[in-house]
């Protein structure tokens, strides 16, 4: 059998011109990415093509932990493992960010305050029920108690992002069948309610999902545009950032349906400025 040399793939002006033409025709970034993959482009190169072509540098700083080649990061009161990272989109999977005792304490404190989860009402800037999101949840105010304050300080140190730029910690419970269909966490500038949302601290620029309770099956955090699934292991977390409110950031994500047991997570959204 003859061995064939794999030819390197590079971002060229020709493929960038093709990407721009597809975008001009109204095709979305995920659709263009799928077309590139179908044409034989490697996943990481296809993502690089989109990033280099569609993303306009925003100049907006985003949380980006200084990992380098480190296996662990100092989060102040705890050493946190770095289990996986990728650059485009910027995603990091952390291990042992929370202890078992902290996971239990957050769930116990949250349970009496749970109600059907809401989503941001982009038309008005308020909140609304959404069939795409079937979890139950609640919000802690920032620094509400010693436990929340300790975890928020750890997150701020780990992600190198000001504590005051974080929204309140949200705890969610997913029972069997519950899910959150793929969505973006940034606020769409084209929606009429966005201006009032941004007045409280600017755009969201990063998301940290902490896993508090493992389901028996299902419940992965999925990134459909890049074919990534992060399994909900207790005490671990997945982080991703996005420097502009655009699908080309490839941060479309969702919570796959829980097939058995319960999944508990805590979500921390990070803003450009102080969140009030």
């Amino acid at each position: 059998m003859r061995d064939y040399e794999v030819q390197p793939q590079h971002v060229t002006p020709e493929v960038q011109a093709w990407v721009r033409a597809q975008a001009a025709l109204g095709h979305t970034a995920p659709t263009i990415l799928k077309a590139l993959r179908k044409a034989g482009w490697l996943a990481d190169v296809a993502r690089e093509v989109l990033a280099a072509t569609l993303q306009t540098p925003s100049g907006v700083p985003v949380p980006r932990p200084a990992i380098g080649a480190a296996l662990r990061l100092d989060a102040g009161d705890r050493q946190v493992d770095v289990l996986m990272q990728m650059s485009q989109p910027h995603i990091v999977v952390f291990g042992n960010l929370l202890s078992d005792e902290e996971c239990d304490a957050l769930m116990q404190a949250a349970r009496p305050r749970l109600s059907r989860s809401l989503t941001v009402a982009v038309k008005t800037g308020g909140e609304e029920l959404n069939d795409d999101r079937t979890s139950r949840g609640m919000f802690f105010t920032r620094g509400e108690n010693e436990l929340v304050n300790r975890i928020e300080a750890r997150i701020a140190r780990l992600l190198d992002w000001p504590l005051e730029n974080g929204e309140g910690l949200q705890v969610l419970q997913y029972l069997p069948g519950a899910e959150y269909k793929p969505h973006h966490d940034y606020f769409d500038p084209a929606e009429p309610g966005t201006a009032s949302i941004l007045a409280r601290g600017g755009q969201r620029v990063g998301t940290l999902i902490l896993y508090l309770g493992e389901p028996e099956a299902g419940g992965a955090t999925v990134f459909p545009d890049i074919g990534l699934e992060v399994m909900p292991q207790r005490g671990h977390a997945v982080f991703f950032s996005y420097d502009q409110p655009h699908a080309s950031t490839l941060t479309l994500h969702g919570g796959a349906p829980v097939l058995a047991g319960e999944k508990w997570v805590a979500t921390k959204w990070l803003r450009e400025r102080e969140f009030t």
Side-chain angles (χ1 to χ4, degrees):
M1 180 181 296
R2 178 181 297 177
D3 292 330
Y4 291 93
E5 181 179 356
V6 177
Q7 296 298 316
Q9 297 177 325
H10 303 287
V11 180
T12 65
E14 291 77 17
V15 73
Q16 287 187 286
W18 179 85
V19 169
R20 281 191 290 269
Q22 299 307 302
L25 291 171
H27 296 297
T28 64
T31 300
I32 298 171
L33 180 65
K34 290 177 182 177
L36 288 169
R37 295 285 289 121
K38 189 174 181 179
W41 286 81
L42 299 173
D44 57 344
V45 182
R47 292 194 294 269
E48 184 183 351
V49 169
L50 282 186
T53 309
L54 296 184
Q55 287 194 35
T56 302
S58 65
V60 174
V62 299
R64 196 174 185 92
I67 296 173
L71 299 180
R72 294 173 188 83
L73 293 181
D74 180 12
D77 64 344
R78 190 175 183 87
Q79 292 289 311
V80 175
D81 300 327
V82 178
L83 303 181
M84 185 279 283
Q85 66 168 322
M86 62 189 306
S87 58
Q88 185 58 40
H90 181 53
I91 299 176
V92 184
V93 177
F94 293 112
N96 299 311
L97 201 161
L98 297 177
S99 68
D100 286 341
E101 293 76 17
E102 288 170 330
C103 291
D104 288 338
L106 279 176
M107 291 187 290
Q108 181 178 355
R111 192 181 292 275
R113 295 161 59 179
L114 294 175
S115 61
R116 172 69 186 273
S117 297
L118 303 176
T119 60
V120 173
V122 294
K123 303 298 182 186
T124 65
E127 294 182 313
E128 62 185 1
L129 286 173
N130 189 325
D131 290 340
D132 289 347
R133 190 181 201 188
T134 52
S135 60
R136 301 172 69 226
M138 56 77 66
F139 276 95
F140 290 105
T141 58
R142 199 170 57 227
E144 179 173 324
N145 55 44
E146 188 278 331
L147 172 66
V148 170
N149 192 60
R150 181 172 74 245
I151 292 172
E152 288 177 332
R154 186 182 305 158
I155 291 171
R157 173 76 171 264
L158 178 68
L159 301 181
D160 192 22
W161 201 247
L163 188 151
E164 61 270 18
N165 290 21
E167 297 183 27
L169 198 65
Q170 183 186 43
V171 174
L172 299 168
Q173 177 197 40
Y174 291 82
L175 298 173
E179 64 178 324
Y180 195 178
K181 293 181 180 178
H183 59 282
H184 293 98
D185 282 349
Y186 55 72
F187 305 112
D188 187 346
E191 295 292 349
T194 295
S196 63
I197 297 170
L198 300 187
R200 298 189 64 190
Q203 267 289 1
R204 285 177 176 165
V205 289
T207 300
L208 180 71
I209 302 172
L210 305 103
Y211 303 111
L212 309 180
E214 297 179 10
E216 296 171 29
T221 301
V222 298
F223 295 82
D225 290 347
I226 60 174
L228 176 66
E229 295 188 7
V230 179
M231 309 313 291
Q233 293 183 267
R234 179 177 164 98
H236 293 193
V238 59
F239 166 75
F240 50 99
S241 59
Y242 29 96
D243 67 349
Q244 57 184 309
H246 195 277
S248 62
T249 57
L250 301 178
T251 53
L252 184 73
H253 66 286
V258 172
L259 303 179
E262 297 182 10
K263 180 179 79 168
W264 286 76
V265 303
T267 303
K268 185 72 170 179
W269 287 294
L270 307 175
R271 297 287 192 103
E272 293 178 84
R273 304 185 298 275
E274 181 179 358
F275 178 72
T276 57

